[in-house]
Amino acid sequence: MALKKKRPNRGRKPRAHSQPHHRDVDVESDGGEFQLAPLTEEDDSVGKHNNRCLQSFPSGDCPSDVEPDTREMVRQQNRKKKSGGFQSMGLSFPVFKGIMKKGYKVPTPIQRKTIPVILDGKDVVAMARTGSGKTAAFLIPLFERLKVHNAQSGARALILTPTRELALQTMKFTKELGKFSGFKTALILGGDKMEDQFEALHENPDIIIGTPGRLMHIVVEMNLKLQNVEYVVFDEADRLFEMGFAEHLQEIIRRLPDSRQTLLFSATLPKQLVEFARAGLTEPVLIRLDVDTKLNDQLQMAFFHVRSDDKAAVLLHLMRNIIKPQEQTVIFVATKHHVEYLKELLTRQGIHCSYSYSALDQTARKINIGKFVHRKCMVMIVTDIAARGIDIPMLDNVINYNFPSKAKLFLHRVGRVARAGRSGTAYSLVALDEIPYVYDLHLFLGRPLKFASQAENSEETSGIYGKVPQNTIDDEESLLIADHKASLDLQNLKRVSENAYRQYLKSRPNPSPESIKRVREMDFSTLGIHPLFGVNIKDAELQRLKIIDSIKNYKAKSTIFEVNSTNKTSASEIMRMTRNKQILVINKFQQLKEEKKTAPSKNMPTLMEADLPDEDNIETVFSEVMGRKRKSKQPTEHFPKNKKECEQDEEFYIPHQPKDFNSERG
């Protein structure tokens, strides 16, 4: 019978043979089949050389028998490159293929800094602004460290997040990025059925993603063993501590092996996080990027000066006339009652929207967020539970219906837009009682607060604080009044939201005294119309404002005591004497007022050191600090430079406030 020649073994795995060594040769036997002939000593030496050149048998390092392990080859090819994409990191083929499938071309700065350090096995505290790609920065080395699925050892990686939405998002991202790695993942969330979670854990998943509260409950109920966990991630770590999970995290850390690798990813670095790093991490490396800018350059901001009662009307105008119909928008409010009120209000005005808050059923939250993510509705109303970590890829706008009381919270709210190189806009509706928080925000950012001037006609709209035209508010207000009259539900929801806001004010932290002082000194009559509302509206509104200001500033030449009286009456003589006495005080007040106008504006905030602990404390906790450092505080004349100059005994003196009191308040 005719025999076909055997094709050469090009890049395929060599066969495993027992002694003595054999080689494949075309030897025809009587039965018409191939036989193996024994190797000679010369062939044996050649075979060993060839085996070294061929790929090894599939193992944990290379799970595929067709596609070779690219790590060593890529490292050799990229030795001469100073920087590059993911291929220069020497990742294995399944991980690299998942990255390419996801569509990532070039790593972000935080990924370029953290991935090599994590692959070296070091504990890391990574600090970068929201939307910089922190999730991929810890998932890529996680897949690389775990290699392949292991059904016997149980969970080997643990990822903890502060909210259920962020955990669901991380789960989805893990499946997409690790599509070719073959890892099993279990999701542990509060609000889901515990039976399903028990079943998922019994299948020995490689990765556990969950929230601390439910995970701690299951660890106790199941007596879950975590001895094999070698990779632990605390995502949005600062938020975990703010939400009161510190005790849960400490207990989970106690149950983990000492040989684990621990990673903390956060947008800010509060003092409490540094103390946790001191206790739970081994010689951690601190990587901090973008600590000077804080906000993305692609983010446009607009601040509108409105009355509290006019916020709903301004919101409707924004949704109808300024925000385009194809743009997605998230509206942040103070309480869940505001969510329900605005949802009913917008629905009656023909704007379809979804909503989410903490007291909502878990299934309803998933459905509503799913509608918004899949663009079935373009508006979503949420409380601050959605301000951290939720990644909506095509989000265009954020509206702060109630201005946040903390600067860090503002950063996390507006961090939902302008992600991954895209632009976005953040609109803020600021009532009179919320203006000090705007000053605090600009102090925190180190930026001057720009006011819209009545005289200027600037085309720049980003970061400007201005008024809303009254005729615009009146037009929308007439529609709202008609809706409220026609609906008892809307009236009840509005009343409940107003009561809820009064309760919210009791728990809202106070702004800084300096910001309150600046607001009192500010003259809002000179505040102009925001440039976002156009030139035509602006000109008409300016004329209207001039008339109103002239009415406000009108002063009668005579007092009520001098009406219909002659110069010889006692009332006119007394008033004349009083004016002569007070003329000096009046002139002095007018002079001070003019000096304030001509002097450099006190409304221009200066950079304030906040949110970060002392540099000396950081250097004692972290073995290495990568990224840009903040400038250290300059000693002022009010504080002594040396401890010897202090009158109190430093050893026994107990201050009435902690040293980091102001930094923790932001």
Side-chain angles (χ1 to χ4, degrees), residues 233-273:
V233 180
F234 297 98
D235 194 13
E236 298 288 352
D238 52 347
R239 184 65 173 159
L240 284 169
F241 287 100
E242 288 174 9
M243 295 176 68
F245 288 127
E247 293 183 4
H248 293 85
L249 300 183
Q250 295 287 358
E251 182 61 30
I252 291 171
I253 283 288
R254 288 192 202 100
R255 294 172 179 264
L256 297 174
D258 295 334
S259 60
R260 69 183 184 277
Q261 183 180 5
T262 310
L263 312 175
L264 274 71
F265 282 80
S266 173
T268 58
L269 189 67
K271 184 74 172 291
Q272 193 177 10
L273 196 61

Side-chain angles (χ1 to χ4, degrees), residues 391-406:
D391 184 18
I392 302 166
M394 303 302 289
L395 186 61
D396 301 288
N397 305 291
V398 162
I399 297 177
N400 291 306
Y401 186 83
N402 299 110
F403 198 81
S405 58
K406 290 185 178 180

Side-chain angles (χ1 to χ4, degrees), residues 77-292:
Q77 292 173 1
N78 291 282
R79 277 177 184 171
K80 296 181 181 180
K81 292 185 180 180
K82 294 183 180 179
S83 63
F86 290 102
Q87 70 273 14
S88 62
M89 296 179 181
L91 303 172
S92 60
F93 187 83
V95 179
F96 184 71
K97 189 176 179 182
I99 295 170
M100 293 297 104
K101 182 75 174 177
K102 185 71 177 167
Y104 294 154
K105 302 286 192 238
V106 180
T108 61
I110 189 66
Q111 293 167 2
R112 189 177 288 112
K113 288 277 187 183
T114 54
I115 290 176
V117 178
I118 297 173
L119 288 175
D120 290 340
K122 297 179 180 178
D123 288 359
V124 172
V125 175
M127 176 188 171
R129 67 184 173 206
T130 305
S132 58
K134 296 193 290 290
T135 306
F138 64 75
L139 282 180
I140 291 171
L142 183 149
F143 298 146
E144 191 65 31
R145 291 291 304 276
L146 297 188
K147 304 293 185 188
V148 291
H149 170 62
N150 191 337
Q152 280 76 32
S153 61
R156 292 178 291 153
L158 181 62
I159 302 174
L160 293 177
T161 62
T163 63
R164 289 176 280 188
E165 283 75 16
L166 184 53
L168 287 166
Q169 176 187 301
T170 306
M171 177 73 169
K172 180 186 175 187
F173 200 78
T174 304
K175 288 183 176 179
E176 293 174 353
L177 202 60
K179 183 176 181 180
F180 304 101
S181 300
F183 295 114
K184 279 190 176 182
T185 309
L187 189 62
I188 308 299
L189 296 180
D192 289 347
K193 292 182 179 179
M194 294 191 68
E195 293 80 4
D196 297 339
Q197 296 176 358
F198 288 153
E199 185 178 347
L201 290 173
H202 276 300
E203 294 179 359
N204 284 333
D206 300 287
I207 305 168
I208 295 177
I209 303 172
T211 50
R214 175 54 67 90
L215 179 65
M216 196 65 240
H217 187 189
I218 285 193
V219 165
V220 174
E221 288 289 329
M222 288 185 63
N223 194 20
L224 186 64
K225 304 297 181 184
L226 300 174
Q227 288 87 356
N228 295 320
V229 173
E230 54 191 67
Y231 195 94
V232 185
V233 180
F234 297 98
D235 194 13
E236 298 288 352
D238 52 347
R239 184 65 173 159
L240 284 169
F241 287 100
E242 288 174 9
M243 295 176 68
F245 288 127
E247 293 183 4
H248 293 85
L249 300 183
Q250 295 287 358
E251 182 61 30
I252 291 171
I253 283 288
R254 288 192 202 100
R255 294 172 179 264
L256 297 174
D258 295 334
S259 60
R260 69 183 184 277
Q261 183 180 5
T262 310
L263 312 175
L264 274 71
F265 282 80
S266 173
T268 58
L269 189 67
K271 184 74 172 291
Q272 193 177 10
L273 196 61
V274 176
E275 296 300 326
F276 179 77
R278 186 199 302 273
L281 279 67
T282 306
E283 296 184 358
V285 176
L286 174 62
I287 300 173
R288 52 181 178 180
L289 303 176
D290 303 320
V291 293
D292 296 330

Side-chain angles (χ1 to χ4, degrees), residues 18-140:
S18 57
Q19 297 293 337
H21 295 297
H22 292 80
R23 59 177 175 175
D24 291 342
V25 292
D26 295 346
V27 180
E28 186 179 1
S29 66
D30 296 337
E33 296 178 352
F34 288 109
Q35 290 183 345
L36 297 177
L39 288 173
T40 60
E41 292 181 2
E42 181 180 355
D43 292 332
D44 195 356
S45 62
V46 175
K48 289 179 180 177
H49 173 73
N50 290 335
N51 282 337
R52 284 195 300 270
C53 298
L54 293 173
Q55 292 295 326
S56 60
F57 190 81
S59 62
D61 296 331
C62 182
S64 174
D65 61 339
V66 179
E67 295 149 339
D69 183 7
T70 58
R71 174 181 293 194
E72 197 57 39
M73 291 190 296
V74 170
R75 279 181 177 170
Q76 291 175 3
Q77 292 173 1
N78 291 282
R79 277 177 184 171
K80 296 181 181 180
K81 292 185 180 180
K82 294 183 180 179
S83 63
F86 290 102
Q87 70 273 14
S88 62
M89 296 179 181
L91 303 172
S92 60
F93 187 83
V95 179
F96 184 71
K97 189 176 179 182
I99 295 170
M100 293 297 104
K101 182 75 174 177
K102 185 71 177 167
Y104 294 154
K105 302 286 192 238
V106 180
T108 61
I110 189 66
Q111 293 167 2
R112 189 177 288 112
K113 288 277 187 183
T114 54
I115 290 176
V117 178
I118 297 173
L119 288 175
D120 290 340
K122 297 179 180 178
D123 288 359
V124 172
V125 175
M127 176 188 171
R129 67 184 173 206
T130 305
S132 58
K134 296 193 290 290
T135 306
F138 64 75
L139 282 180
I140 291 171

